[in-house]
């Protein structure tokens, strides 16, 4: 995933480090969802015999999940810059949300629209919550019964919400090949960027960023 020089018709959307981060989180999250399904969904659990191995894969996938985020926060300037963008709501984000509630997902936005900002906030929060509750369930001997019961409920609830969100994420990605290209190569067409994220392409400082090496 080495950085390449954009052509005049392209803009750089993601650095190599950000793309590796997305891939690592996607793989670990996928392992968590699949192993959880085979461990806890009745019809699926009967198909596997090595439950201890699945439980081990599930546990270590959860333990490792925060690692790519921490590494990216420490090592990637591009990630820290985009994290600041994701962490800030602007007046245009409220406009985008109102339009989205009416079924219009093409209202003007910056590099990330309000839906992507809310999604990233939930995913980060879910990782923290499920990491903590997962440790409580794994080391159950150290946790009182009432706390373990609460941790089980919270862990399962967030797991269900993550599955629903992941399904929506896949559906939207499937319907936007250019967005997938941005995560695969780091580049998107200037036409797509202008149409989907016009406020991003209008920012002179960001425009110089996406043209240059990352």
């Amino acid at each position: 995933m080495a950085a390449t020089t954009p052509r005049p018709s392209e803009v750089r959307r993601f650095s190599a480090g950000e793309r590796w981060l997305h891939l690592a989180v996607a793989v670990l999250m996928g392992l968590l969802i699949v192993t959880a399904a085979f461990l806890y969904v009745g019809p699926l659990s009967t198909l596997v015999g090595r439950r201890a191995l699945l439980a081990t894969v599930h546990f270590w996938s959860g333990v490792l999940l925060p690692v790519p985020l921490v590494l990216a926060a420490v090592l990637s300037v591009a990630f820290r810059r985009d994290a600041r963008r994701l962490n800030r709501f602007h007046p245009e984000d409220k406009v985008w949300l109102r339009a989205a509630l009416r079924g219009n997902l093409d209202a003007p936005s910056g590099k990330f629209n309000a839906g992507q900002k809310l999604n990233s906030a939930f995913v980060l929060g879910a990782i923290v919550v499920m990491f903590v509750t997962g440790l409580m369930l794994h080391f159950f001997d150290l946790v009182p019964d009432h706390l373990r019961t609460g941790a089980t409920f919270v862990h399962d609830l967030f797991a269900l919400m993550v599955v629903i969100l992941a399904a929506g994420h896949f559906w939207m990605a499937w319907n936007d090949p250019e967005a997938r290209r941005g995560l695969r190569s780091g580049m998107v067409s200037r036409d797509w960027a202008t149409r989907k994220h016009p406020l991003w392409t209008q920012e002179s400082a960001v425009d110089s960023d996406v043209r240059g090496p990352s």
Side-chain angles (χ1 to χ4, degrees), residues 50-203:
R50 304 184 66 182
R51 292 180 60 84
L53 176 60
L54 284 179
T56 300
V57 172
H58 186 82
F59 172 74
W60 283 108
S61 296
V63 168
L64 292 174
L65 188 57
V67 173
L69 288 165
V70 173
L71 290 176
V74 172
L75 300 176
S76 174
V77 174
F79 172 77
R80 293 196 297 272
R81 186 167 55 234
D82 279 347
R84 287 193 293 270
R85 290 190 178 106
L86 286 165
N87 197 41
R88 294 172 181 165
F89 260 71
H90 301 288
E92 60 266 20
D93 294 314
K94 297 178 182 178
V95 174
W96 190 95
L97 281 176
R98 286 196 293 268
L101 291 174
R102 298 192 297 270
N104 176 20
L105 300 180
D106 291 325
S109 68
K111 185 172 184 179
F112 304 104
N113 61 47
Q116 292 168 324
K117 291 180 180 182
L118 291 174
N119 175 73
S120 66
F122 173 79
V123 169
L124 180 59
I127 289 174
V128 173
V129 169
M130 297 185 73
F131 181 84
V132 173
T133 54
L135 289 178
M136 293 172 67
L137 296 176
H138 186 78
F139 300 105
F140 60 90
D141 288 337
L142 304 177
V143 181
D145 288 344
H146 68 284
L147 289 180
R148 189 164 66 247
T149 300
T152 300
F153 173 77
V154 171
H155 196 83
D156 291 350
L157 176 63
F158 270 81
L160 176 61
M161 291 191 291
V162 165
V163 169
I164 294 172
L165 193 70
H169 188 72
F170 279 121
W171 181 82
M172 295 192 74
W174 179 262
N175 287 282
D176 196 341
E178 192 69 19
R180 297 200 307 272
R181 177 180 170 239
L183 283 169
R184 187 175 62 253
S185 69
M187 306 297 179
V188 294
S189 70
R190 189 170 295 278
D191 288 343
W192 180 90
T194 301
R195 178 167 46 86
K196 289 286 188 177
H197 303 275
L199 302 181
W200 171 44
T201 59
Q202 291 169 11
E203 296 172 7

